Every structure is written in C-alpha cells, then in structure tokens.
Amino acid sequence: MASIAPSPRLVALLRGRGAVLVLTGAGVSRESGIATFRDGGGLWEGIDPMTVATPRAFAADPELVWRFYDERRAHAAAAQPNPAHHAIAALEATRRPFLLATQNVDGLHERAGSRALVRLHGSLWRLRCTAEGTEHDDPTPRLAPLPPRCAACGAMLRPAVVWFEEPLPMAEFDRAERAAKAASLVLVVGTSSLVYPAAALPLTALAAGAYVAEINPEPTPLTASVREHLPGEAGAVLPALLAAAGIPMDRAA
Ligand code: APR
C-alpha cells in the first residue's frame, strides 16, 4: 500500500456527506498498460495528434485515422481496470451526490462498475455516422474493413470521440460544471491539466469553495492551486485513501 499521508481534512471529507466530483485523465489507465498522451512513451510522443485526431485529418486520410483508433480499441479491449478504477467505483457506491467526469475514452471506468459518469471526450466504443450524425455502441475489438460504414445509409462511420478543434458534448460538460460548482470535495486524478475546457473544472470548483485534491506522480499547472497534492500513482494512492477513510473497495456502484 502506498505510503501517502492524506491530511485529516481530506480523510474527513471522504468520510463526510458532501457532494463529490472526480475528474480523471489518461494517468488512471496507465497502470492498466494503456499509454498516456504526454508522458515519456506517450501517444503524442510518436504521433502528431494533428494527423490522427482532428476533423481535417479524418477528411484527408480516414484510413490512417481509423488504423490509429482501431489500435487503441484493441489495446483497451485487452486491458483490465486497475485498483484506481475500482476505488473510484467503490467511492461512488458510498456517496450521493457523486459524479465521475472522465476525459478517458477507453471504457475502463465503466468496466470497473462506475455508473454516475460523464464522458467529456466521448468513447472509443461508440461510432457516429458522418452523414446522419447518429451514434451506436460497437464493442468489437477490431473493426473490419476500415473505415467502417453506416448500416443504414452506407456513409463512413467515425469514432465518437472529441477531436482537437471540436467542441465537447455540451450536456456532459454542463453536468460536470454543475457538479464542480456544487462539490465539497473534488479529486483530480491522472491528468496533466493542460487540455481545456476539462482543465477548467477544478478551477471552477476551487472558486466555488470546494476542497480540491490532485493525485499525480508529477506536478501539473494545477498543482499550485489545489488544496492538497498527493504525489503517487492512482492505483496505489486511491485504494490507500479509501482505506484511510474506512471505505471498502469491494462495494460496487
Ligand atoms: N497515476 C496517476 N497519474 C499518472 C499516472 C498514474 N499511474 N501515470 C501518469 N500520470 C499522470 C502524468 O504525470 C500526467 O500528468 O497522468 C497525466 C497524463 O497526462 P496526459 O497524457 O496529458 O493525459 P490527459 O491529461 O488525460 O490528456 C487530456 O488530451 O490528448 C488529449 O483527448 C486527449 O483526453 C485527452 C486530453
């Protein structure tokens, strides 16, 4: 178990009754073997995101973009939720109101049992028709042929994720923002806090008086503003936090 020393205030808030918001990023899935974006060995180290994660890139070379996302689907399908995912689902089981706002598209939170969640950047497991805009779930680890086509109209399908230069799904973001304004406790886990508007949520919560704690082995641009920074890996720190607050890990949401 990680030797972290959460403050008595954080433990009290975890035990308390106030509203909780958890914001997660790619760091939460790293211990499941899924690369982050900006760390050493991260996805954007080897690939220019402008060539695979923008509407223009998709228009220019849909097969290239699909090969990139098909690879990510296969990785996510082969991965397992880790103790960080399970701890967040266990925390959800003990708290109301509770919201998980995730930037992750890999589906590991859902597989760990999280239910009260919004996907700020969409999902690898949803496909959208480029002509009709309709979306559907598709759990197939490997799609073939690429690019996949809409069964209804034959148009190309795209991954229902949020690309650079695209707006976030408004309903999901609004829900996260309302939760940030109403939260007593906000946990910011495994995100570099560089990508907006998701990175604004902890600042909104701080301005509304919430206690914001960051869990990340590295400092981020947010670290100087939070009430508490826990410098460790989410898969070790989150279970240790729940243990300190007497919250069982095996409770499902
Ligand atoms: N536990 C906690 N945090 C970790 C761990 C870990 N085991 N491993 C790495 N981290 C931290 C890193 O220190 C870094 O700050 O996770 C963060 C990952 O940052 P990014 O790779 O920038 O990922 P994220 O913040 O989720 O990116 C935001 O950018 O590329 C877009 O749409 C994509 O949703 C993504 C968004």
Side-chain angles (χ1 to χ4, degrees):
M1 189 75 72
S3 60
I4 61 148
S7 70
R9 176 109 177 88
L10 178 53
V11 174
L13 284 162
L14 279 165
R15 281 201 184 115
R17 294 179 173 287
V20 174
L21 170 67
V22 178
L23 173 66
T24 64
V28 166
S29 294
R30 193 165 181 201
E31 293 157 84
S32 295
I34 298 185
T36 64
F37 297 94
R38 295 172 185 82
D39 288 319
L43 280 177
W44 299 149
E45 199 174 68
I47 301 168
D48 173 1
M50 294 304 122
T51 64
V52 290
T54 66
R56 269 177 296 158
F58 187 68
D61 193 342
E63 271 193 46
L64 173 75
V65 170
W66 261 114
R67 280 201 300 277
F68 172 72
Y69 281 95
D70 198 49
E71 208 50 48
R72 290 185 62 194
R73 285 165 62 103
H75 267 133
Q80 294 300 325
N82 68 59
H85 299 104
H86 292 295
I88 293 167
L91 181 59
E92 177 185 333
T94 67
R95 299 304 292 258
R96 289 290 177 278
F98 175 97
L99 187 71
L100 164 62
T102 188
Q103 298 169 86
N104 299 349
V105 296
D106 56 32
L108 293 183
H109 280 302
E110 296 90 328
R111 286 168 55 194
S114 286
R115 293 292 169 267
L117 87 158
V118 289
R119 302 182 193 95
L120 298 173
H121 295 165
S123 170
L124 284 173
W125 305 109
R126 278 185 80 72
L127 306 182
R128 186 186 306 148
C129 173
T130 54
E132 301 161 323
T134 48
E135 289 188 5
H136 67 280
D137 291 330
D138 186 318
T140 329
R142 285 266 184 209
L143 294 166
L146 294 177
R149 299 240 160 223
C150 176
C153 73
M156 223 185 310
L157 296 171
R158 56 160 283 178
V161 296
V162 177
W163 282 327
F164 292 96
E165 300 157 12
E166 289 189 320
L168 268 57
M170 260 308 117
E172 280 77 3
F173 187 73
D174 286 350
R175 207 172 145 204
E177 203 169 41
R178 282 198 303 276
K181 289 176 179 160
S184 310
L185 173 63
V186 177
L187 300 179
V188 182
V189 192
T191 180
S192 57
S193 291
L194 291 169
V195 177
Y196 284 76
L201 291 167
L203 304 174
T204 301
L206 282 164
Y211 192 91
V212 179
E214 182 184 42
I215 296 160
N216 193 320
E218 303 296 332
T220 72
L222 179 69
T223 306
S225 309
V226 298
R227 299 291 299 277
E228 193 163 341
H229 176 77
L230 296 149
E233 302 208 322
V237 172
L238 283 170
L241 270 183
L242 265 63
I247 299 170
M249 275 284 289
D250 56 3
R251 292 269 301 268

